[in-house]
Amino acid sequence: QSALTQPASMSGSPGQSITISCTGTSSDVGSYNYVSWYQQHPGKAPKVMIYDVTNRPSGVSDRFSGSKSGNTASLTISGLQAEDEADYYCNSYTSIGTWVFGGGTKLTVL
Amino acid sequence: QVQVVESGGGVVQPGGSLRLSCAASGFTFNSYGMHWVRQAPGKGLEWVTFIRYDGTNENYADSVKGRFTISRDNSKNTLYLQMNSLRPEDTAVYYCAKDGGGLDLWGQGTLVTVSS
């Protein structure tokens, strides 16, 4: 049950687009369309931003989008805003019936 | 109001036990699977365990298997986590989360500290 691999940190300027990657294996990300993404601000509970690879919950800005290719999933944030500065985590279902999170990416808006 | 509220955290000595509760309201609790997720201080999220909507199947992370037990009482709209043989590395904020579109509803978390 190794954690999914995410970049530890990323940064971008307001208005720019960034893409956070999440690399797993053929036993998790590569085999199931049950990848989700979570945003967490300091001291707050996580919030789901994308589920089932590409689906956006009601109320989440359409600036957030998800995709997957092979064993790697991605979260793209377009038109970066100051409020997007947060930690982001990916999550996937696995072949042994468990779930696994990525190590998290700290996003800084310059 | 749609929410889940965790309780039961506290300070416990290594080797001790603790039971966490998660009270659900505002949604049909017995229609959804539920997770426990934890976050050690300054660290990332770690998935801990899941239970099906009807309590018929459970899954655990290797790090807690054999020590933690998840359960639910659908008549009380409550999820539980029984934690035994606690270790210092179990120190974390424990969140319960509803399995809808992803983990779509989280509580505020309850802090468990394992220390002598």
PDB file of all heavy atoms in Angstrom, chain B residues 45-67:
ATOM      1  N   LEU B  45      -2.483  13.100   4.322  1.00  0.00           N
ATOM      2  CA  LEU B  45      -3.630  12.265   4.629  1.00  0.00           C
ATOM      3  C   LEU B  45      -3.268  10.789   4.481  1.00  0.00           C
ATOM      4  O   LEU B  45      -2.540  10.407   3.567  1.00  0.00           O
ATOM      5  CB  LEU B  45      -4.793  12.589   3.681  1.00  0.00           C
ATOM      6  CG  LEU B  45      -5.311  14.017   3.705  1.00  0.00           C
ATOM      7  CD1 LEU B  45      -6.372  14.217   2.618  1.00  0.00           C
ATOM      8  CD2 LEU B  45      -5.867  14.383   5.071  1.00  0.00           C
ATOM      9  N   GLU B  46      -3.791   9.960   5.388  1.00  0.00           N
ATOM     10  CA  GLU B  46      -3.598   8.518   5.314  1.00  0.00           C
ATOM     11  C   GLU B  46      -4.959   7.837   5.446  1.00  0.00           C
ATOM     12  O   GLU B  46      -5.646   8.010   6.463  1.00  0.00           O
ATOM     13  CB  GLU B  46      -2.662   8.019   6.415  1.00  0.00           C
ATOM     14  CG  GLU B  46      -2.448   6.505   6.359  1.00  0.00           C
ATOM     15  CD  GLU B  46      -1.653   5.943   7.520  1.00  0.00           C
ATOM     16  OE1 GLU B  46      -1.428   6.669   8.514  1.00  0.00           O
ATOM     17  OE2 GLU B  46      -1.244   4.772   7.460  1.00  0.00           O
ATOM     18  N   TRP B  47      -5.335   7.066   4.450  1.00  0.00           N
ATOM     19  CA  TRP B  47      -6.574   6.292   4.530  1.00  0.00           C
ATOM     20  C   TRP B  47      -6.403   5.196   5.572  1.00  0.00           C
ATOM     21  O   TRP B  47      -5.363   4.519   5.614  1.00  0.00           O
ATOM     22  CB  TRP B  47      -6.897   5.689   3.168  1.00  0.00           C
ATOM     23  CG  TRP B  47      -8.120   4.832   3.200  1.00  0.00           C
ATOM     24  CD1 TRP B  47      -9.417   5.251   3.123  1.00  0.00           C
ATOM     25  CD2 TRP B  47      -8.159   3.414   3.338  1.00  0.00           C
ATOM     26  NE1 TRP B  47     -10.260   4.172   3.208  1.00  0.00           N
ATOM     27  CE2 TRP B  47      -9.517   3.031   3.340  1.00  0.00           C
ATOM     28  CE3 TRP B  47      -7.184   2.419   3.466  1.00  0.00           C
ATOM     29  CZ2 TRP B  47      -9.923   1.711   3.449  1.00  0.00           C
ATOM     30  CZ3 TRP B  47      -7.576   1.107   3.581  1.00  0.00           C
ATOM     31  CH2 TRP B  47      -8.940   0.750   3.580  1.00  0.00           C
ATOM     32  N   VAL B  48      -7.432   4.993   6.408  1.00  0.00           N
ATOM     33  CA  VAL B  48      -7.332   4.032   7.510  1.00  0.00           C
ATOM     34  C   VAL B  48      -8.233   2.819   7.285  1.00  0.00           C
ATOM     35  O   VAL B  48      -7.778   1.680   7.350  1.00  0.00           O
ATOM     36  CB  VAL B  48      -7.692   4.706   8.853  1.00  0.00           C
ATOM     37  CG1 VAL B  48      -7.713   3.690   9.981  1.00  0.00           C
ATOM     38  CG2 VAL B  48      -6.697   5.835   9.162  1.00  0.00           C
ATOM     39  N   THR B  49      -9.528   3.063   7.028  1.00  0.00           N
ATOM     40  CA  THR B  49     -10.459   1.945   6.944  1.00  0.00           C
ATOM     41  C   THR B  49     -11.762   2.371   6.301  1.00  0.00           C
ATOM     42  O   THR B  49     -12.095   3.566   6.252  1.00  0.00           O
ATOM     43  CB  THR B  49     -10.725   1.348   8.336  1.00  0.00           C
ATOM     44  OG1 THR B  49     -11.626   0.228   8.232  1.00  0.00           O
ATOM     45  CG2 THR B  49     -11.337   2.375   9.288  1.00  0.00           C
ATOM     46  N   PHE B  50     -12.519   1.411   5.796  1.00  0.00           N
ATOM     47  CA  PHE B  50     -13.798   1.636   5.124  1.00  0.00           C
ATOM     48  C   PHE B  50     -14.780   0.547   5.534  1.00  0.00           C
ATOM     49  O   PHE B  50     -14.380  -0.605   5.739  1.00  0.00           O
ATOM     50  CB  PHE B  50     -13.597   1.607   3.614  1.00  0.00           C
ATOM     51  CG  PHE B  50     -14.885   1.566   2.818  1.00  0.00           C
ATOM     52  CD1 PHE B  50     -15.596   2.728   2.585  1.00  0.00           C
ATOM     53  CD2 PHE B  50     -15.369   0.371   2.289  1.00  0.00           C
ATOM     54  CE1 PHE B  50     -16.783   2.711   1.849  1.00  0.00           C
ATOM     55  CE2 PHE B  50     -16.548   0.339   1.553  1.00  0.00           C
ATOM     56  CZ  PHE B  50     -17.255   1.517   1.328  1.00  0.00           C
ATOM     57  N   ILE B  51     -16.061   0.926   5.609  1.00  0.00           N
ATOM     58  CA  ILE B  51     -17.118  -0.051   5.872  1.00  0.00           C
ATOM     59  C   ILE B  51     -18.267   0.202   4.904  1.00  0.00           C
ATOM     60  O   ILE B  51     -18.621   1.349   4.624  1.00  0.00           O
ATOM     61  CB  ILE B  51     -17.603   0.016   7.342  1.00  0.00           C
ATOM     62  CG1 ILE B  51     -18.571  -1.129   7.654  1.00  0.00           C
ATOM     63  CG2 ILE B  51     -18.226   1.383   7.669  1.00  0.00           C
ATOM     64  CD1 ILE B  51     -18.850  -1.289   9.148  1.00  0.00           C
ATOM     65  N   ARG B  52     -18.814  -0.871   4.360  1.00  0.00           N
ATOM     66  CA  ARG B  52     -19.931  -0.760   3.437  1.00  0.00           C
ATOM     67  C   ARG B  52     -21.166  -0.190   4.105  1.00  0.00           C
ATOM     68  O   ARG B  52     -21.276  -0.196   5.330  1.00  0.00           O
ATOM     69  CB  ARG B  52     -20.270  -2.129   2.839  1.00  0.00           C
ATOM     70  CG  ARG B  52     -19.445  -2.527   1.640  1.00  0.00           C
ATOM     71  CD  ARG B  52     -19.685  -3.976   1.273  1.00  0.00           C
ATOM     72  NE  ARG B  52     -21.115  -4.282   1.148  1.00  0.00           N
ATOM     73  CZ  ARG B  52     -21.755  -4.386  -0.009  1.00  0.00           C
ATOM     74  NH1 ARG B  52     -21.094  -4.161  -1.132  1.00  0.00           N
ATOM     75  NH2 ARG B  52     -23.027  -4.708  -0.058  1.00  0.00           N
ATOM     76  N   TYR B  53     -22.124   0.253   3.306  1.00  0.00           N
ATOM     77  CA  TYR B  53     -23.326   0.905   3.825  1.00  0.00           C
ATOM     78  C   TYR B  53     -24.091   0.028   4.810  1.00  0.00           C
ATOM     79  O   TYR B  53     -24.687   0.518   5.763  1.00  0.00           O
ATOM     80  CB  TYR B  53     -24.246   1.301   2.655  1.00  0.00           C
ATOM     81  CG  TYR B  53     -24.866   0.123   1.943  1.00  0.00           C
ATOM     82  CD1 TYR B  53     -26.155  -0.293   2.237  1.00  0.00           C
ATOM     83  CD2 TYR B  53     -24.145  -0.590   0.982  1.00  0.00           C
ATOM     84  CE1 TYR B  53     -26.726  -1.380   1.586  1.00  0.00           C
ATOM     85  CE2 TYR B  53     -24.693  -1.676   0.329  1.00  0.00           C
ATOM     86  CZ  TYR B  53     -25.980  -2.071   0.633  1.00  0.00           C
ATOM     87  OH  TYR B  53     -26.540  -3.144   0.003  1.00  0.00           O
ATOM     88  N   ASP B  54     -24.014  -1.295   4.572  1.00  0.00           N
ATOM     89  CA  ASP B  54     -24.780  -2.213   5.414  1.00  0.00           C
ATOM     90  C   ASP B  54     -23.905  -2.916   6.450  1.00  0.00           C
ATOM     91  O   ASP B  54     -24.368  -3.811   7.158  1.00  0.00           O
ATOM     92  CB  ASP B  54     -25.500  -3.247   4.554  1.00  0.00           C
ATOM     93  CG  ASP B  54     -24.551  -4.026   3.654  1.00  0.00           C
ATOM     94  OD1 ASP B  54     -23.333  -3.796   3.735  1.00  0.00           O
ATOM     95  OD2 ASP B  54     -25.030  -4.847   2.860  1.00  0.00           O
ATOM     96  N   GLY B  55     -22.652  -2.544   6.542  1.00  0.00           N
ATOM     97  CA  GLY B  55     -21.740  -3.109   7.531  1.00  0.00           C
ATOM     98  C   GLY B  55     -21.243  -4.501   7.219  1.00  0.00           C
ATOM     99  O   GLY B  55     -20.617  -5.136   8.077  1.00  0.00           O
ATOM    100  N   THR B  56     -21.479  -4.959   5.987  1.00  0.00           N
ATOM    101  CA  THR B  56     -21.147  -6.351   5.673  1.00  0.00           C
ATOM    102  C   THR B  56     -19.698  -6.553   5.244  1.00  0.00           C
ATOM    103  O   THR B  56     -19.242  -7.687   5.135  1.00  0.00           O
ATOM    104  CB  THR B  56     -22.051  -6.889   4.561  1.00  0.00           C
ATOM    105  OG1 THR B  56     -21.902  -6.060   3.405  1.00  0.00           O
ATOM    106  CG2 THR B  56     -23.494  -6.930   4.997  1.00  0.00           C
ATOM    107  N   ASN B  57     -18.974  -5.484   4.967  1.00  0.00           N
ATOM    108  CA  ASN B  57     -17.583  -5.642   4.537  1.00  0.00           C
ATOM    109  C   ASN B  57     -16.744  -4.478   5.043  1.00  0.00           C
ATOM    110  O   ASN B  57     -17.210  -3.342   5.058  1.00  0.00           O
ATOM    111  CB  ASN B  57     -17.502  -5.711   3.008  1.00  0.00           C
ATOM    112  CG  ASN B  57     -16.136  -6.155   2.529  1.00  0.00           C
ATOM    113  OD1 ASN B  57     -15.549  -7.086   3.072  1.00  0.00           O
ATOM    114  ND2 ASN B  57     -15.593  -5.474   1.541  1.00  0.00           N
ATOM    115  N   GLU B  58     -15.523  -4.811   5.466  1.00  0.00           N
ATOM    116  CA  GLU B  58     -14.603  -3.799   5.979  1.00  0.00           C
ATOM    117  C   GLU B  58     -13.241  -4.007   5.331  1.00  0.00           C
ATOM    118  O   GLU B  58     -12.874  -5.128   4.978  1.00  0.00           O
ATOM    119  CB  GLU B  58     -14.436  -3.949   7.494  1.00  0.00           C
ATOM    120  CG  GLU B  58     -15.714  -4.033   8.298  1.00  0.00           C
ATOM    121  CD  GLU B  58     -15.553  -4.932   9.513  1.00  0.00           C
ATOM    122  OE1 GLU B  58     -14.426  -5.052  10.024  1.00  0.00           O
ATOM    123  OE2 GLU B  58     -16.554  -5.517   9.963  1.00  0.00           O
ATOM    124  N   ASN B  59     -12.510  -2.915   5.164  1.00  0.00           N
ATOM    125  CA  ASN B  59     -11.146  -2.987   4.656  1.00  0.00           C
ATOM    126  C   ASN B  59     -10.261  -2.090   5.513  1.00  0.00           C
ATOM    127  O   ASN B  59     -10.734  -1.059   6.009  1.00  0.00           O
ATOM    128  CB  ASN B  59     -11.086  -2.529   3.189  1.00  0.00           C
ATOM    129  CG  ASN B  59     -11.970  -3.371   2.298  1.00  0.00           C
ATOM    130  OD1 ASN B  59     -13.141  -3.069   2.121  1.00  0.00           O
ATOM    131  ND2 ASN B  59     -11.419  -4.419   1.750  1.00  0.00           N
ATOM    132  N   TYR B  60      -9.004  -2.484   5.664  1.00  0.00           N
ATOM    133  CA  TYR B  60      -8.095  -1.754   6.545  1.00  0.00           C
ATOM    134  C   TYR B  60      -6.748  -1.521   5.876  1.00  0.00           C
ATOM    135  O   TYR B  60      -6.266  -2.345   5.091  1.00  0.00           O
ATOM    136  CB  TYR B  60      -7.854  -2.531   7.842  1.00  0.00           C
ATOM    137  CG  TYR B  60      -9.086  -2.751   8.676  1.00  0.00           C
ATOM    138  CD1 TYR B  60      -9.872  -3.885   8.510  1.00  0.00           C
ATOM    139  CD2 TYR B  60      -9.472  -1.810   9.626  1.00  0.00           C
ATOM    140  CE1 TYR B  60     -11.018  -4.073   9.260  1.00  0.00           C
ATOM    141  CE2 TYR B  60     -10.615  -2.002  10.397  1.00  0.00           C
ATOM    142  CZ  TYR B  60     -11.380  -3.135  10.205  1.00  0.00           C
ATOM    143  OH  TYR B  60     -12.516  -3.320  10.970  1.00  0.00           O
ATOM    144  N   ALA B  61      -6.105  -0.420   6.230  1.00  0.00           N
ATOM    145  CA  ALA B  61      -4.716  -0.197   5.844  1.00  0.00           C
ATOM    146  C   ALA B  61      -3.840  -1.165   6.639  1.00  0.00           C
ATOM    147  O   ALA B  61      -4.162  -1.533   7.776  1.00  0.00           O
ATOM    148  CB  ALA B  61      -4.308   1.241   6.148  1.00  0.00           C
ATOM    149  N   ASP B  62      -2.741  -1.579   6.039  1.00  0.00           N
ATOM    150  CA  ASP B  62      -1.836  -2.510   6.712  1.00  0.00           C
ATOM    151  C   ASP B  62      -1.365  -1.966   8.062  1.00  0.00           C
ATOM    152  O   ASP B  62      -1.144  -2.719   9.004  1.00  0.00           O
ATOM    153  CB  ASP B  62      -0.621  -2.792   5.829  1.00  0.00           C
ATOM    154  CG  ASP B  62      -0.941  -3.716   4.669  1.00  0.00           C
ATOM    155  OD1 ASP B  62      -2.015  -4.361   4.687  1.00  0.00           O
ATOM    156  OD2 ASP B  62      -0.121  -3.796   3.734  1.00  0.00           O
ATOM    157  N   SER B  63      -1.220  -0.658   8.151  1.00  0.00           N
ATOM    158  CA  SER B  63      -0.676  -0.031   9.359  1.00  0.00           C
ATOM    159  C   SER B  63      -1.581  -0.200  10.583  1.00  0.00           C
ATOM    160  O   SER B  63      -1.121  -0.026  11.712  1.00  0.00           O
ATOM    161  CB  SER B  63      -0.420   1.454   9.111  1.00  0.00           C
ATOM    162  OG  SER B  63      -1.612   2.101   8.693  1.00  0.00           O
ATOM    163  N   VAL B  64      -2.859  -0.521  10.368  1.00  0.00           N
ATOM    164  CA  VAL B  64      -3.798  -0.648  11.496  1.00  0.00           C
ATOM    165  C   VAL B  64      -4.482  -2.008  11.558  1.00  0.00           C
ATOM    166  O   VAL B  64      -5.209  -2.283  12.523  1.00  0.00           O
ATOM    167  CB  VAL B  64      -4.875   0.462  11.464  1.00  0.00           C
ATOM    168  CG1 VAL B  64      -4.222   1.841  11.373  1.00  0.00           C
ATOM    169  CG2 VAL B  64      -5.844   0.242  10.305  1.00  0.00           C
ATOM    170  N   LYS B  65      -4.252  -2.839  10.560  1.00  0.00           N
ATOM    171  CA  LYS B  65      -4.927  -4.130  10.485  1.00  0.00           C
ATOM    172  C   LYS B  65      -4.613  -4.962  11.730  1.00  0.00           C
ATOM    173  O   LYS B  65      -3.462  -5.060  12.145  1.00  0.00           O
ATOM    174  CB  LYS B  65      -4.493  -4.869   9.226  1.00  0.00           C
ATOM    175  CG  LYS B  65      -5.400  -6.020   8.818  1.00  0.00           C
ATOM    176  CD  LYS B  65      -4.953  -6.616   7.480  1.00  0.00           C
ATOM    177  CE  LYS B  65      -5.071  -5.622   6.355  1.00  0.00           C
ATOM    178  NZ  LYS B  65      -4.713  -6.216   5.041  1.00  0.00           N
ATOM    179  N   GLY B  66      -5.656  -5.532  12.320  1.00  0.00           N
ATOM    180  CA  GLY B  66      -5.492  -6.344  13.520  1.00  0.00           C
ATOM    181  C   GLY B  66      -5.535  -5.536  14.805  1.00  0.00           C
ATOM    182  O   GLY B  66      -5.623  -6.114  15.898  1.00  0.00           O
ATOM    183  N   ARG B  67      -5.470  -4.222  14.719  1.00  0.00           N
ATOM    184  CA  ARG B  67      -5.508  -3.371  15.910  1.00  0.00           C
ATOM    185  C   ARG B  67      -6.756  -2.490  15.944  1.00  0.00           C
ATOM    186  O   ARG B  67      -7.272  -2.185  17.028  1.00  0.00           O
ATOM    187  CB  ARG B  67      -4.272  -2.470  15.963  1.00  0.00           C
ATOM    188  CG  ARG B  67      -2.953  -3.221  16.008  1.00  0.00           C
ATOM    189  CD  ARG B  67      -1.778  -2.260  16.244  1.00  0.00           C
ATOM    190  NE  ARG B  67      -1.641  -1.267  15.187  1.00  0.00           N
ATOM    191  CZ  ARG B  67      -1.667   0.053  15.395  1.00  0.00           C
ATOM    192  NH1 ARG B  67      -1.829   0.532  16.613  1.00  0.00           N
ATOM    193  NH2 ARG B  67      -1.517   0.896  14.378  1.00  0.00           N
TER     194      ARG B  67
END
